[in-house]
Amino acid sequence: MALRRFNFGVTLSSWKMKYSTHSDPLGTNLKERQAQMMKKGLPVKKPIEGVKNVILVASGKGGVGKSTVAVNLALALSRHLPSQDVGLLDADIFGPSIPTMMNLSGNPLLTDKNLIKPLVNYNIKCMSMGFLVDNNAPVIWRGLMVMSAIEKLLRQVDWSPLDYLIIDMPPGTGDTQLSIAQNIPVAGAIIVTTPQEIALIDARKGALMFQKVGIPVVGLVNNMASYACPNCGHHSHIFGATGAEKLSKEIGVDVLVDIPLDTSIMEAADGGYPIVISSTSNNPLVQAYMSLAEKVLSRLSAIKDEPSR
Amino acid sequence: MENEIPEHCPGVQSEAAGKASTCDGCPNQKICASGEIIVEDPKIMVGIQERMLNVKHKILVLSGKGGVGKSTLTSMIARVFAQDLAKNVAVMDIDICGPSAPRIMGVEGETVHQSGSGWSPVYIGENLSVMSVGLLLASPDDAVIWRGPKKNGLIKQFLSEVDWGSLDYLLMDTPPGTSDEHLSIAQYMLPCQLTGAIIVTSPQEISLLDVRKEINFCRKVNIPIIGIVENMSWFVCPKCRKESEIFLATTGGARQMASEFNLPFLGQIPLDHRLTQACDEGIDFFEEYSDSATASAFIQLVKEIKAHIKE
């Protein structure tokens, strides 16, 4: 992925003569011109047909609960807006968790237009690498193959019509993240982290990456925030206490919700019956996810209403 | 000429070179498909083999799943090995996007020096050293947003240019998944008599799903597996001291999986908030909490590992 080198040795006077206009007589809008020239080598963002809003659920760190949050967020959104269509894409090619969590399996069919039909459960359209390969088979691919697989999962799936597509990202800041960030317009990203400093270091990198590629980070999720001992009820901060707040202040992004480490969330996910639908709406855990969904929606509409910079 | 190379070229060195659907029409297709292209510069391979001749046991720490404790365990195991001052131990962190080793070992912010004999790793004590991309960044918060080939290049450099000296144990901490980093390390280390891989998991079925893939990956590329470790097996409440299981082993946990795959089960490590804190602060857990159940679990784990690698 080579950027074409632009010769900045061109003198200012020749710039002025070439690019000055009535509204900009000195032709001093250099930065914009430079940015435009640099962009020439990069892929152009093309929206997915029929999909209105794309939300990324990312981290930089593995194992902080991205998939669990993505699944429960998708279900919470669907409950919050029952007349709208929500989809869930599992972009983790190497360790797809969505099939297990959504209790889906089997080979997807093709439509007449040769698009892959997403599998549906709990009213959410889902697609994952897990539907296309055997459960035990490892996907041993280098980055380029991953890029082309992600492209297929984005564009050759019959998503339409969708109001919200949640993309469960894999850990890291590599090929998958870049491919998605550069190829489709994204409404916003949520960064999931645990309070542990080790997780925050990677979450910070994830946030920095989104900043670099121009994707707004709408908020942080402080996952596995604390654990209540089932015997005595004592709350332990197994992964630390103040981490997410600290990160929030550093990168200027709010913590949208604190989700405790709770065996029932994990059990529900493993069993393919996520907590948002398997438990009652007065369960504080369900309320946490519903509140997350509401906040994400309001942040997204605030971003849309902002005058373009 | 540039226009003729297909957009999604899998790479001339990849397995799919010349055979992928995207190769159709490329002028080099026949050459790639015939496998004539040499996989790697032989000088580099010789360089790596020379360095690795001085390393007695080369151990990979793998998982398939993120966040199960690979980095934590790699560092703790290294510290236990290094308690024997007669042994030289090193940790090589090839998680390029999320390097945790510098932080956990307490050397964040240190710099790597270059000498005539190569890059020198950062030392913690006399006999324990670390190399990680985290030590090469201007700031530990800098994000490394690289595609595969660049990561491959760095791993090659770590293996061929770092002057480890003579080592008894080299532990390699990997990122989650089965991608570029794993393929590269397998490609470079297998000709150097890799001792084997330790596979880390949590008891949860969602983790085991990914770990099964990792085990199959090892089998496919012929990486010997030393055994499986289960991390975060249980939690001891600091107040009432009662044990509880957070990540329920709904499908039998790692022990069951190990017997399914006919692999040694090396041990279990509990979830301990003092351990996560020690990792965050980069302090030596064994110095602070030497008589904790967690420390004993690690010492027992290392005993098992030693028993299996001497075979």
Side-chain angles (χ1 to χ4, degrees):
Chain A
M1 188 185 78
L3 293 172
R4 234 169 272 156
R5 294 193 189 283
F6 179 66
N7 185 7
F8 288 124
V10 175
T11 59
L12 191 57
S13 51
S14 56
W15 271 97
K16 283 184 200 170
M17 297 211 303
K18 263 190 183 172
Y19 301 117
S20 62
T21 61
H22 277 299
S23 52
D24 181 24
L26 290 180
T28 50
N29 216 348
L30 285 173
K31 273 203 171 147
E32 216 183 83
R33 290 298 305 175
Q34 284 171 12
Q36 269 179 30
M37 299 302 280
M38 293 294 276
K39 267 193 203 159
K40 274 189 181 167
L42 296 173
V44 175
K45 290 191 193 184
K46 205 178 91 176
I48 305 173
E49 221 186 285
V51 174
K52 288 194 189 145
N53 295 289
V54 175
I55 303 173
L56 305 182
V57 177
S59 179
K61 185 93 181 74
V64 294
K66 287 176 293 308
S67 299
T68 311
V69 168
V71 162
N72 283 300
L73 173 62
L75 291 166
L77 273 177
S78 177
R79 254 173 99 165
H80 198 64
L81 308 163
S83 60
Q84 303 205 354
D85 295 296
V86 180
L88 184 55
L89 169 63
D90 185 1
D92 191 343
I93 305 279
F94 305 107
S97 309
I98 302 288
T100 309
M101 292 193 184
M102 292 293 284
N103 200 16
L104 282 170
S105 63
N107 290 50
L109 303 168
L110 291 177
T111 63
D112 297 331
K113 296 183 190 157
N114 244 356
L115 294 174
I116 309 173
K117 259 187 118 168
L119 301 186
V120 182
N121 199 2
Y122 314 128
N123 221 10
I124 309 278
K125 293 181 190 170
C126 303
M127 183 45 61
S128 163
M129 200 65 202
F131 301 141
L132 307 171
V133 296
D134 180 51
N135 244 355
N136 288 337
V139 172
I140 315 172
W141 288 352
R142 287 197 182 270
L144 280 161
M145 300 266 288
V146 173
M147 263 172 68
S148 102
I150 295 283
E151 188 67 22
K152 288 196 170 56
L153 290 177
L154 286 170
R155 301 205 193 274
Q156 283 183 282
V157 172
D158 187 25
W159 291 113
S160 184
L162 266 191
D163 295 278
Y164 297 96
L165 176 61
I166 314 271
I167 303 187
D168 175 21
M169 304 284 276
T173 50
D175 287 279
T176 312
Q177 288 78 0
L178 278 172
S179 301
I180 293 181
Q182 290 173 332
N183 288 308
I184 53 169
V186 173
I190 307 173
I191 297 193
V192 181
T193 183
T194 64
Q196 198 183 359
E197 190 59 44
I198 293 282
L200 295 172
I201 297 177
D202 292 353
R204 213 176 272 127
K205 292 179 203 270
L208 193 62
M209 178 189 69
F210 286 129
Q211 211 179 58
K212 280 193 172 171
V213 296
I215 291 180
V217 179
V218 299
L220 301 177
V221 172
N222 188 18
N223 203 20
M224 307 198 207
S226 67
Y227 176 66
C229 173
N231 282 305
C232 66
H234 173 73
H235 282 265
S236 298
H237 292 280
I238 304 183
F239 298 109
T242 51
E245 273 305 319
K246 213 177 87 180
L247 179 64
S248 156
K249 288 198 181 102
E250 270 177 48
I251 61 176
V253 175
D254 291 333
V255 175
L256 298 180
V257 70
D258 294 299
I259 302 179
L261 184 53
D262 194 301
T263 315
S264 57
I265 301 180
M266 190 233 83
E267 234 184 328
D270 263 15
Y273 203 17
I275 197 141
V276 165
I277 48 168
S278 62
S279 187
T280 54
S281 49
N282 51 16
N283 180 341
L285 299 170
V286 176
Q287 285 170 351
Y289 285 113
M290 294 298 288
S291 147
L292 174 64
E294 279 167 30
K295 288 187 183 169
V296 168
L297 288 172
S298 78
R299 301 286 165 122
L300 285 180
S301 57
I303 293 174
K304 274 197 192 142
D305 294 338
E306 247 174 54
S308 41
R309 291 174 207 150
Chain B
M1 179 58 200
E2 266 195 42
N3 297 337
E4 292 173 32
I5 298 173
E7 219 184 275
H8 294 296
C9 166
V12 295
Q13 296 171 5
S14 84
E15 276 177 18
K19 300 171 199 152
S21 59
T22 48
C23 295
D24 291 333
C26 174
N28 282 332
Q29 189 184 13
K30 280 209 179 114
I31 304 173
C32 289
S34 69
E36 264 176 47
I37 302 243
I38 302 163
V39 174
E40 193 52 77
D41 179 1
K43 265 193 270 176
I44 303 270
M45 287 309 291
V46 169
I48 295 176
Q49 282 181 337
E50 270 173 15
R51 297 271 187 203
M52 290 296 127
L53 276 174
N54 293 328
V55 180
K56 212 165 157 203
H57 296 286
K58 302 143 208 135
I59 302 173
L60 275 181
V61 180
L62 299 170
S63 179
K65 187 91 182 79
V68 294
K70 290 178 288 308
S71 299
T72 310
L73 256 65
T74 308
S75 305
M76 294 297 121
I77 293 171
R79 286 200 191 266
V80 175
F81 275 138
Q83 282 174 352
D84 179 357
L85 292 170
K87 304 282 184 192
N88 290 322
V89 187
V91 171
M92 183 168 79
D93 180 8
I94 56 171
D95 186 346
I96 296 179
C97 297
S100 307
R103 182 93 196 197
I104 300 178
M105 301 297 269
V107 292
E108 202 177 41
E110 300 278 343
T111 42
V112 168
H113 298 286
Q114 207 171 6
S115 70
S117 52
W119 298 357
S120 60
V122 175
Y123 278 86
I124 307 129
E126 292 273 328
N127 61 341
L128 180 56
S129 59
V130 165
M131 176 53 73
S132 163
V133 78
L135 298 166
L136 303 171
L137 298 171
S139 144
D141 292 342
D142 284 346
V144 178
I145 316 171
W146 289 355
R147 289 197 182 272
K150 224 171 164 179
K151 292 191 214 174
N152 193 19
L154 186 64
I155 295 175
K156 226 190 306 185
Q157 280 190 292
F158 274 3
L159 288 171
S160 58
E161 287 185 41
V162 175
D163 179 20
W164 302 104
S166 130
L167 285 179
D168 294 275
Y169 301 100
L170 175 62
L171 290 151
M172 290 169 272
D173 181 20
T174 59
T178 48
S179 185
D180 289 276
E181 295 90 334
H182 310 86
L183 279 168
S184 301
I185 202 82
Q187 186 185 6
Y188 298 131
M189 290 303 292
L190 282 169
C192 307
Q193 276 133 12
L194 180 63
T195 310
I198 297 174
I199 305 206
V200 184
T201 180
S202 74
Q204 200 186 354
E205 174 59 23
I206 288 279
S207 301
L208 299 179
L209 269 179
D210 292 350
V211 172
R212 283 189 199 104
K213 291 178 203 273
E214 198 72 18
I215 296 175
N216 283 322
F217 163 75
C218 289
R219 290 193 165 158
K220 227 175 174 178
V221 300
N222 291 321
I223 295 177
I225 300 178
I226 300 171
I228 304 183
V229 182
E230 191 183 80
N231 194 21
M232 309 201 226
S233 299
W234 68 86
F235 174 68
V236 179
C237 177
K239 195 168 171 213
C240 66
R241 301 254 148 247
K242 290 241 167 73
E243 274 181 23
S244 57
E245 276 179 28
I246 304 183
F247 299 105
L248 294 177
T250 50
T251 51
R255 204 186 285 271
Q256 171 84 357
M257 187 179 69
S259 77
E260 267 170 32
F261 281 93
N262 213 9
L263 288 169
F265 181 64
L266 299 171
Q268 290 176 311
I269 308 283
L271 191 50
D272 190 331
H273 68 284
R274 297 167 304 181
L275 179 57
T276 57
Q277 201 177 8
C279 288
D280 272 3
E281 293 170 14
I283 59 178
D284 186 350
F285 180 80
F286 297 99
E287 231 180 73
E288 292 284 318
Y289 306 105
S290 52
D291 45 1
S292 61
T294 310
S296 319
F298 274 112
I299 292 177
Q300 180 57 31
L301 170 65
V302 171
K303 270 198 192 133
E304 282 291 323
I305 295 173
K306 279 188 181 163
H308 280 94
I309 60 181
K310 292 256 151 84
E311 277 172 22

